[in-house]
Amino acid sequence: MEKGQQLEYPQQEERRTHIYVVSGHVEVTCQDGDFQLGPGDAARIQKSCTLKIRATGNEDTSELVLADLP
């Protein structure tokens, strides 16, 4: 993701989303609040919501892995 870029990911019922930040910094927003993640950080979202993921920090790009699991 480029700096400042935002993605929306609609999470389905009965699904789990895992996010792992490889490099850079991202902000993850869901109904539980806003969470700042950096390199090596991970998050697991279990509630159904539309996730907003935004690249933050001073890096030109941020890399993350998003896994959508049953």
Side-chain angles (χ1 to χ4, degrees):
M1 298 177 62
E2 294 181 9
K3 183 178 179 179
Q5 182 180 3
Q6 180 170 303
L7 303 173
E8 288 193 13
Y9 186 79
Q11 185 180 16
Q12 303 297 317
E13 285 289 328
E14 305 300 321
R15 303 291 291 183
R16 303 296 178 256
T17 303
H18 296 258
I19 298 170
Y20 178 78
V21 179
V22 176
S23 64
H25 293 82
V26 298
E27 177 182 75
V28 177
T29 303
C30 63
Q31 66 190 41
D32 288 336
D34 300 335
F35 303 93
Q36 305 295 324
L37 303 176
D41 289 342
R44 180 179 66 188
I45 298 90
Q46 296 182 1
K47 294 182 181 178
S48 177
C49 66
T50 297
L51 295 174
K52 294 180 182 175
I53 305 166
R54 185 170 60 92
T56 60
N58 295 325
E59 302 87 4
D60 290 333
T61 60
S62 297
E63 296 178 303
L64 60 93
V65 174
L66 186 148
D68 181 354
L69 303 170

PDB file of all heavy atoms in Angstrom, residues 19 21 25-38 41-47 49 51-56 64:
ATOM      1  N   ILE A  19      -4.495 -10.100  10.025  1.00  0.00           N
ATOM      2  CA  ILE A  19      -3.644  -9.135   9.333  1.00  0.00           C
ATOM      3  C   ILE A  19      -2.259  -9.215   9.953  1.00  0.00           C
ATOM      4  O   ILE A  19      -2.116  -9.180  11.180  1.00  0.00           O
ATOM      5  CB  ILE A  19      -4.196  -7.702   9.474  1.00  0.00           C
ATOM      6  CG1 ILE A  19      -5.582  -7.617   8.830  1.00  0.00           C
ATOM      7  CG2 ILE A  19      -3.244  -6.692   8.848  1.00  0.00           C
ATOM      8  CD1 ILE A  19      -6.304  -6.316   9.118  1.00  0.00           C
ATOM      9  N   VAL A  21       1.533  -7.339   9.504  1.00  0.00           N
ATOM     10  CA  VAL A  21       2.264  -6.245   8.858  1.00  0.00           C
ATOM     11  C   VAL A  21       3.705  -6.690   8.616  1.00  0.00           C
ATOM     12  O   VAL A  21       4.439  -7.011   9.555  1.00  0.00           O
ATOM     13  CB  VAL A  21       2.228  -4.962   9.714  1.00  0.00           C
ATOM     14  CG1 VAL A  21       3.005  -3.844   9.036  1.00  0.00           C
ATOM     15  CG2 VAL A  21       0.790  -4.536   9.974  1.00  0.00           C
ATOM     16  N   HIS A  25       3.779   0.901   8.355  1.00  0.00           N
ATOM     17  CA  HIS A  25       2.809   1.073   9.429  1.00  0.00           C
ATOM     18  C   HIS A  25       1.419   1.213   8.840  1.00  0.00           C
ATOM     19  O   HIS A  25       1.244   1.864   7.814  1.00  0.00           O
ATOM     20  CB  HIS A  25       3.143   2.309  10.263  1.00  0.00           C
ATOM     21  CG  HIS A  25       4.409   2.161  11.032  1.00  0.00           C
ATOM     22  ND1 HIS A  25       5.643   2.371  10.459  1.00  0.00           N
ATOM     23  CD2 HIS A  25       4.633   1.798  12.306  1.00  0.00           C
ATOM     24  CE1 HIS A  25       6.575   2.150  11.371  1.00  0.00           C
ATOM     25  NE2 HIS A  25       5.992   1.799  12.502  1.00  0.00           N
ATOM     26  N   VAL A  26       0.437   0.603   9.498  1.00  0.00           N
ATOM     27  CA  VAL A  26      -0.950   0.708   9.054  1.00  0.00           C
ATOM     28  C   VAL A  26      -1.847   0.982  10.253  1.00  0.00           C
ATOM     29  O   VAL A  26      -1.512   0.652  11.394  1.00  0.00           O
ATOM     30  CB  VAL A  26      -1.442  -0.561   8.314  1.00  0.00           C
ATOM     31  CG1 VAL A  26      -0.643  -0.813   7.059  1.00  0.00           C
ATOM     32  CG2 VAL A  26      -1.424  -1.773   9.214  1.00  0.00           C
ATOM     33  N   GLU A  27      -2.983   1.585   9.959  1.00  0.00           N
ATOM     34  CA  GLU A  27      -4.023   1.787  10.950  1.00  0.00           C
ATOM     35  C   GLU A  27      -5.207   0.942  10.528  1.00  0.00           C
ATOM     36  O   GLU A  27      -5.650   1.017   9.379  1.00  0.00           O
ATOM     37  CB  GLU A  27      -4.425   3.257  11.007  1.00  0.00           C
ATOM     38  CG  GLU A  27      -5.562   3.533  11.972  1.00  0.00           C
ATOM     39  CD  GLU A  27      -5.945   4.994  11.960  1.00  0.00           C
ATOM     40  OE1 GLU A  27      -6.601   5.407  10.969  1.00  0.00           O
ATOM     41  OE2 GLU A  27      -5.593   5.703  12.899  1.00  0.00           O
ATOM     42  N   VAL A  28      -5.701   0.121  11.443  1.00  0.00           N
ATOM     43  CA  VAL A  28      -6.854  -0.731  11.180  1.00  0.00           C
ATOM     44  C   VAL A  28      -8.020  -0.184  11.995  1.00  0.00           C
ATOM     45  O   VAL A  28      -7.907  -0.002  13.207  1.00  0.00           O
ATOM     46  CB  VAL A  28      -6.572  -2.198  11.568  1.00  0.00           C
ATOM     47  CG1 VAL A  28      -7.798  -3.061  11.361  1.00  0.00           C
ATOM     48  CG2 VAL A  28      -5.393  -2.746  10.780  1.00  0.00           C
ATOM     49  N   THR A  29      -9.134   0.078  11.312  1.00  0.00           N
ATOM     50  CA  THR A  29     -10.316   0.607  11.971  1.00  0.00           C
ATOM     51  C   THR A  29     -11.465  -0.382  11.797  1.00  0.00           C
ATOM     52  O   THR A  29     -11.724  -0.856  10.694  1.00  0.00           O
ATOM     53  CB  THR A  29     -10.722   1.968  11.363  1.00  0.00           C
ATOM     54  OG1 THR A  29      -9.619   2.860  11.481  1.00  0.00           O
ATOM     55  CG2 THR A  29     -11.924   2.556  12.066  1.00  0.00           C
ATOM     56  N   CYS A  30     -12.124  -0.696  12.920  1.00  0.00           N
ATOM     57  CA  CYS A  30     -13.313  -1.535  12.913  1.00  0.00           C
ATOM     58  C   CYS A  30     -14.227  -1.031  14.018  1.00  0.00           C
ATOM     59  O   CYS A  30     -13.932  -0.020  14.651  1.00  0.00           O
ATOM     60  CB  CYS A  30     -12.969  -3.013  13.078  1.00  0.00           C
ATOM     61  SG  CYS A  30     -12.198  -3.415  14.648  1.00  0.00           S
ATOM     62  N   GLN A  31     -15.305  -1.737  14.268  1.00  0.00           N
ATOM     63  CA  GLN A  31     -16.259  -1.260  15.267  1.00  0.00           C
ATOM     64  C   GLN A  31     -15.680  -1.212  16.672  1.00  0.00           C
ATOM     65  O   GLN A  31     -16.221  -0.520  17.531  1.00  0.00           O
ATOM     66  CB  GLN A  31     -17.536  -2.095  15.236  1.00  0.00           C
ATOM     67  CG  GLN A  31     -17.339  -3.541  15.657  1.00  0.00           C
ATOM     68  CD  GLN A  31     -18.563  -4.384  15.392  1.00  0.00           C
ATOM     69  OE1 GLN A  31     -19.198  -4.243  14.357  1.00  0.00           O
ATOM     70  NE2 GLN A  31     -18.894  -5.248  16.316  1.00  0.00           N
ATOM     71  N   ASP A  32     -14.585  -1.913  16.930  1.00  0.00           N
ATOM     72  CA  ASP A  32     -13.954  -1.895  18.250  1.00  0.00           C
ATOM     73  C   ASP A  32     -12.982  -0.739  18.432  1.00  0.00           C
ATOM     74  O   ASP A  32     -12.428  -0.557  19.511  1.00  0.00           O
ATOM     75  CB  ASP A  32     -13.229  -3.211  18.523  1.00  0.00           C
ATOM     76  CG  ASP A  32     -14.195  -4.352  18.775  1.00  0.00           C
ATOM     77  OD1 ASP A  32     -15.344  -4.082  19.181  1.00  0.00           O
ATOM     78  OD2 ASP A  32     -13.811  -5.513  18.562  1.00  0.00           O
ATOM     79  N   GLY A  33     -12.699   0.027  17.371  1.00  0.00           N
ATOM     80  CA  GLY A  33     -11.807   1.170  17.488  1.00  0.00           C
ATOM     81  C   GLY A  33     -10.753   1.211  16.400  1.00  0.00           C
ATOM     82  O   GLY A  33     -10.833   0.500  15.405  1.00  0.00           O
ATOM     83  N   ASP A  34      -9.751   2.058  16.639  1.00  0.00           N
ATOM     84  CA  ASP A  34      -8.629   2.235  15.710  1.00  0.00           C
ATOM     85  C   ASP A  34      -7.387   1.613  16.333  1.00  0.00           C
ATOM     86  O   ASP A  34      -7.107   1.829  17.516  1.00  0.00           O
ATOM     87  CB  ASP A  34      -8.358   3.717  15.464  1.00  0.00           C
ATOM     88  CG  ASP A  34      -9.557   4.429  14.869  1.00  0.00           C
ATOM     89  OD1 ASP A  34     -10.379   3.776  14.220  1.00  0.00           O
ATOM     90  OD2 ASP A  34      -9.662   5.659  15.055  1.00  0.00           O
ATOM     91  N   PHE A  35      -6.639   0.875  15.527  1.00  0.00           N
ATOM     92  CA  PHE A  35      -5.456   0.189  16.022  1.00  0.00           C
ATOM     93  C   PHE A  35      -4.275   0.484  15.116  1.00  0.00           C
ATOM     94  O   PHE A  35      -4.378   0.368  13.899  1.00  0.00           O
ATOM     95  CB  PHE A  35      -5.715  -1.321  16.092  1.00  0.00           C
ATOM     96  CG  PHE A  35      -6.895  -1.665  16.947  1.00  0.00           C
ATOM     97  CD1 PHE A  35      -8.160  -1.803  16.388  1.00  0.00           C
ATOM     98  CD2 PHE A  35      -6.764  -1.802  18.316  1.00  0.00           C
ATOM     99  CE1 PHE A  35      -9.261  -2.093  17.170  1.00  0.00           C
ATOM    100  CE2 PHE A  35      -7.850  -2.089  19.114  1.00  0.00           C
ATOM    101  CZ  PHE A  35      -9.111  -2.236  18.535  1.00  0.00           C
ATOM    102  N   GLN A  36      -3.151   0.868  15.705  1.00  0.00           N
ATOM    103  CA  GLN A  36      -1.924   1.171  14.982  1.00  0.00           C
ATOM    104  C   GLN A  36      -1.035  -0.066  14.988  1.00  0.00           C
ATOM    105  O   GLN A  36      -0.729  -0.603  16.058  1.00  0.00           O
ATOM    106  CB  GLN A  36      -1.182   2.337  15.644  1.00  0.00           C
ATOM    107  CG  GLN A  36      -2.011   3.592  15.800  1.00  0.00           C
ATOM    108  CD  GLN A  36      -2.390   4.204  14.474  1.00  0.00           C
ATOM    109  OE1 GLN A  36      -1.620   4.186  13.519  1.00  0.00           O
ATOM    110  NE2 GLN A  36      -3.592   4.747  14.401  1.00  0.00           N
ATOM    111  N   LEU A  37      -0.624  -0.509  13.808  1.00  0.00           N
ATOM    112  CA  LEU A  37       0.233  -1.686  13.691  1.00  0.00           C
ATOM    113  C   LEU A  37       1.503  -1.333  12.948  1.00  0.00           C
ATOM    114  O   LEU A  37       1.483  -0.566  11.988  1.00  0.00           O
ATOM    115  CB  LEU A  37      -0.495  -2.804  12.937  1.00  0.00           C
ATOM    116  CG  LEU A  37      -1.833  -3.272  13.504  1.00  0.00           C
ATOM    117  CD1 LEU A  37      -2.460  -4.302  12.571  1.00  0.00           C
ATOM    118  CD2 LEU A  37      -1.671  -3.845  14.890  1.00  0.00           C
ATOM    119  N   GLY A  38       2.617  -1.918  13.406  1.00  0.00           N
ATOM    120  CA  GLY A  38       3.908  -1.711  12.773  1.00  0.00           C
ATOM    121  C   GLY A  38       4.490  -3.032  12.316  1.00  0.00           C
ATOM    122  O   GLY A  38       3.863  -4.088  12.437  1.00  0.00           O
ATOM    123  N   ASP A  41       3.776  -6.737  13.670  1.00  0.00           N
ATOM    124  CA  ASP A  41       2.524  -6.775  14.426  1.00  0.00           C
ATOM    125  C   ASP A  41       1.471  -7.570  13.672  1.00  0.00           C
ATOM    126  O   ASP A  41       1.490  -7.651  12.445  1.00  0.00           O
ATOM    127  CB  ASP A  41       1.979  -5.371  14.687  1.00  0.00           C
ATOM    128  CG  ASP A  41       2.801  -4.590  15.694  1.00  0.00           C
ATOM    129  OD1 ASP A  41       3.580  -5.215  16.451  1.00  0.00           O
ATOM    130  OD2 ASP A  41       2.655  -3.355  15.736  1.00  0.00           O
ATOM    131  N   ALA A  42       0.542  -8.126  14.429  1.00  0.00           N
ATOM    132  CA  ALA A  42      -0.553  -8.885  13.831  1.00  0.00           C
ATOM    133  C   ALA A  42      -1.855  -8.539  14.545  1.00  0.00           C
ATOM    134  O   ALA A  42      -1.844  -8.110  15.698  1.00  0.00           O
ATOM    135  CB  ALA A  42      -0.278 -10.379  13.942  1.00  0.00           C
ATOM    136  N   ALA A  43      -2.966  -8.731  13.849  1.00  0.00           N
ATOM    137  CA  ALA A  43      -4.286  -8.507  14.423  1.00  0.00           C
ATOM    138  C   ALA A  43      -5.220  -9.605  13.940  1.00  0.00           C
ATOM    139  O   ALA A  43      -5.100 -10.091  12.816  1.00  0.00           O
ATOM    140  CB  ALA A  43      -4.820  -7.143  14.008  1.00  0.00           C
ATOM    141  N   ARG A  44      -6.136  -9.979  14.808  1.00  0.00           N
ATOM    142  CA  ARG A  44      -7.168 -10.957  14.456  1.00  0.00           C
ATOM    143  C   ARG A  44      -8.512 -10.305  14.728  1.00  0.00           C
ATOM    144  O   ARG A  44      -8.793  -9.890  15.850  1.00  0.00           O
ATOM    145  CB  ARG A  44      -7.010 -12.225  15.286  1.00  0.00           C
ATOM    146  CG  ARG A  44      -8.061 -13.268  14.964  1.00  0.00           C
ATOM    147  CD  ARG A  44      -7.865 -14.512  15.778  1.00  0.00           C
ATOM    148  NE  ARG A  44      -8.093 -14.182  17.177  1.00  0.00           N
ATOM    149  CZ  ARG A  44      -7.858 -15.021  18.170  1.00  0.00           C
ATOM    150  NH1 ARG A  44      -7.366 -16.198  17.941  1.00  0.00           N
ATOM    151  NH2 ARG A  44      -8.104 -14.658  19.413  1.00  0.00           N
ATOM    152  N   ILE A  45      -9.352 -10.228  13.710  1.00  0.00           N
ATOM    153  CA  ILE A  45     -10.659  -9.600  13.833  1.00  0.00           C
ATOM    154  C   ILE A  45     -11.713 -10.687  13.717  1.00  0.00           C
ATOM    155  O   ILE A  45     -11.759 -11.409  12.714  1.00  0.00           O
ATOM    156  CB  ILE A  45     -10.875  -8.509  12.751  1.00  0.00           C
ATOM    157  CG1 ILE A  45      -9.843  -7.395  12.910  1.00  0.00           C
ATOM    158  CG2 ILE A  45     -12.266  -7.927  12.858  1.00  0.00           C
ATOM    159  CD1 ILE A  45      -8.596  -7.591  12.153  1.00  0.00           C
ATOM    160  N   GLN A  46     -12.552 -10.818  14.742  1.00  0.00           N
ATOM    161  CA  GLN A  46     -13.537 -11.885  14.767  1.00  0.00           C
ATOM    162  C   GLN A  46     -14.960 -11.395  14.537  1.00  0.00           C
ATOM    163  O   GLN A  46     -15.822 -12.176  14.202  1.00  0.00           O
ATOM    164  CB  GLN A  46     -13.470 -12.629  16.100  1.00  0.00           C
ATOM    165  CG  GLN A  46     -12.154 -13.321  16.304  1.00  0.00           C
ATOM    166  CD  GLN A  46     -12.109 -14.089  17.609  1.00  0.00           C
ATOM    167  OE1 GLN A  46     -13.058 -14.124  18.369  1.00  0.00           O
ATOM    168  NE2 GLN A  46     -10.990 -14.712  17.891  1.00  0.00           N
ATOM    169  N   LYS A  47     -15.206 -10.112  14.730  1.00  0.00           N
ATOM    170  CA  LYS A  47     -16.556  -9.581  14.564  1.00  0.00           C
ATOM    171  C   LYS A  47     -16.783  -9.163  13.118  1.00  0.00           C
ATOM    172  O   LYS A  47     -15.867  -8.695  12.448  1.00  0.00           O
ATOM    173  CB  LYS A  47     -16.767  -8.369  15.473  1.00  0.00           C
ATOM    174  CG  LYS A  47     -16.730  -8.717  16.940  1.00  0.00           C
ATOM    175  CD  LYS A  47     -16.983  -7.489  17.771  1.00  0.00           C
ATOM    176  CE  LYS A  47     -16.934  -7.829  19.250  1.00  0.00           C
ATOM    177  NZ  LYS A  47     -17.127  -6.657  20.078  1.00  0.00           N
ATOM    178  N   CYS A  49     -17.621  -6.801  10.363  1.00  0.00           N
ATOM    179  CA  CYS A  49     -17.600  -5.356  10.187  1.00  0.00           C
ATOM    180  C   CYS A  49     -16.880  -5.044   8.873  1.00  0.00           C
ATOM    181  O   CYS A  49     -16.289  -5.920   8.263  1.00  0.00           O
ATOM    182  CB  CYS A  49     -16.908  -4.659  11.348  1.00  0.00           C
ATOM    183  SG  CYS A  49     -15.150  -5.016  11.485  1.00  0.00           S
ATOM    184  N   LEU A  51     -13.778  -3.510   7.584  1.00  0.00           N
ATOM    185  CA  LEU A  51     -12.464  -3.069   8.028  1.00  0.00           C
ATOM    186  C   LEU A  51     -11.960  -1.957   7.127  1.00  0.00           C
ATOM    187  O   LEU A  51     -12.109  -2.023   5.907  1.00  0.00           O
ATOM    188  CB  LEU A  51     -11.458  -4.220   7.971  1.00  0.00           C
ATOM    189  CG  LEU A  51     -11.697  -5.387   8.897  1.00  0.00           C
ATOM    190  CD1 LEU A  51     -10.686  -6.485   8.588  1.00  0.00           C
ATOM    191  CD2 LEU A  51     -11.585  -4.960  10.334  1.00  0.00           C
ATOM    192  N   LYS A  52     -11.375  -0.956   7.743  1.00  0.00           N
ATOM    193  CA  LYS A  52     -10.686   0.085   6.984  1.00  0.00           C
ATOM    194  C   LYS A  52      -9.215  -0.013   7.353  1.00  0.00           C
ATOM    195  O   LYS A  52      -8.862   0.005   8.526  1.00  0.00           O
ATOM    196  CB  LYS A  52     -11.251   1.459   7.330  1.00  0.00           C
ATOM    197  CG  LYS A  52     -12.681   1.607   6.878  1.00  0.00           C
ATOM    198  CD  LYS A  52     -13.238   2.964   7.220  1.00  0.00           C
ATOM    199  CE  LYS A  52     -14.693   3.036   6.790  1.00  0.00           C
ATOM    200  NZ  LYS A  52     -15.318   4.285   7.212  1.00  0.00           N
ATOM    201  N   ILE A  53      -8.379  -0.151   6.345  1.00  0.00           N
ATOM    202  CA  ILE A  53      -6.941  -0.300   6.551  1.00  0.00           C
ATOM    203  C   ILE A  53      -6.263   0.833   5.807  1.00  0.00           C
ATOM    204  O   ILE A  53      -6.452   0.988   4.600  1.00  0.00           O
ATOM    205  CB  ILE A  53      -6.453  -1.663   6.030  1.00  0.00           C
ATOM    206  CG1 ILE A  53      -7.252  -2.790   6.684  1.00  0.00           C
ATOM    207  CG2 ILE A  53      -4.964  -1.828   6.272  1.00  0.00           C
ATOM    208  CD1 ILE A  53      -7.087  -4.135   6.023  1.00  0.00           C
ATOM    209  N   ARG A  54      -5.468   1.633   6.536  1.00  0.00           N
ATOM    210  CA  ARG A  54      -4.828   2.801   5.922  1.00  0.00           C
ATOM    211  C   ARG A  54      -3.336   2.757   6.202  1.00  0.00           C
ATOM    212  O   ARG A  54      -2.904   2.509   7.335  1.00  0.00           O
ATOM    213  CB  ARG A  54      -5.426   4.083   6.490  1.00  0.00           C
ATOM    214  CG  ARG A  54      -4.898   5.343   5.833  1.00  0.00           C
ATOM    215  CD  ARG A  54      -5.693   6.568   6.255  1.00  0.00           C
ATOM    216  NE  ARG A  54      -5.655   6.795   7.688  1.00  0.00           N
ATOM    217  CZ  ARG A  54      -4.766   7.570   8.304  1.00  0.00           C
ATOM    218  NH1 ARG A  54      -3.833   8.188   7.614  1.00  0.00           N
ATOM    219  NH2 ARG A  54      -4.813   7.726   9.606  1.00  0.00           N
ATOM    220  N   ALA A  55      -2.532   2.998   5.168  1.00  0.00           N
ATOM    221  CA  ALA A  55      -1.079   3.064   5.318  1.00  0.00           C
ATOM    222  C   ALA A  55      -0.718   4.388   5.991  1.00  0.00           C
ATOM    223  O   ALA A  55      -1.142   5.452   5.553  1.00  0.00           O
ATOM    224  CB  ALA A  55      -0.389   2.957   3.967  1.00  0.00           C
ATOM    225  N   THR A  56       0.031   4.304   7.077  1.00  0.00           N
ATOM    226  CA  THR A  56       0.444   5.489   7.833  1.00  0.00           C
ATOM    227  C   THR A  56       1.960   5.472   7.998  1.00  0.00           C
ATOM    228  O   THR A  56       2.636   4.596   7.498  1.00  0.00           O
ATOM    229  CB  THR A  56      -0.235   5.515   9.217  1.00  0.00           C
ATOM    230  OG1 THR A  56       0.144   4.335   9.933  1.00  0.00           O
ATOM    231  CG2 THR A  56      -1.742   5.571   9.107  1.00  0.00           C
ATOM    232  N   LEU A  64       1.457  -5.755   3.846  1.00  0.00           N
ATOM    233  CA  LEU A  64       0.758  -6.561   4.841  1.00  0.00           C
ATOM    234  C   LEU A  64       0.191  -7.800   4.178  1.00  0.00           C
ATOM    235  O   LEU A  64       0.038  -7.853   2.960  1.00  0.00           O
ATOM    236  CB  LEU A  64      -0.356  -5.769   5.525  1.00  0.00           C
ATOM    237  CG  LEU A  64      -1.475  -5.207   4.659  1.00  0.00           C
ATOM    238  CD1 LEU A  64      -2.638  -6.174   4.600  1.00  0.00           C
ATOM    239  CD2 LEU A  64      -1.936  -3.877   5.224  1.00  0.00           C
TER     240      LEU A  64
END
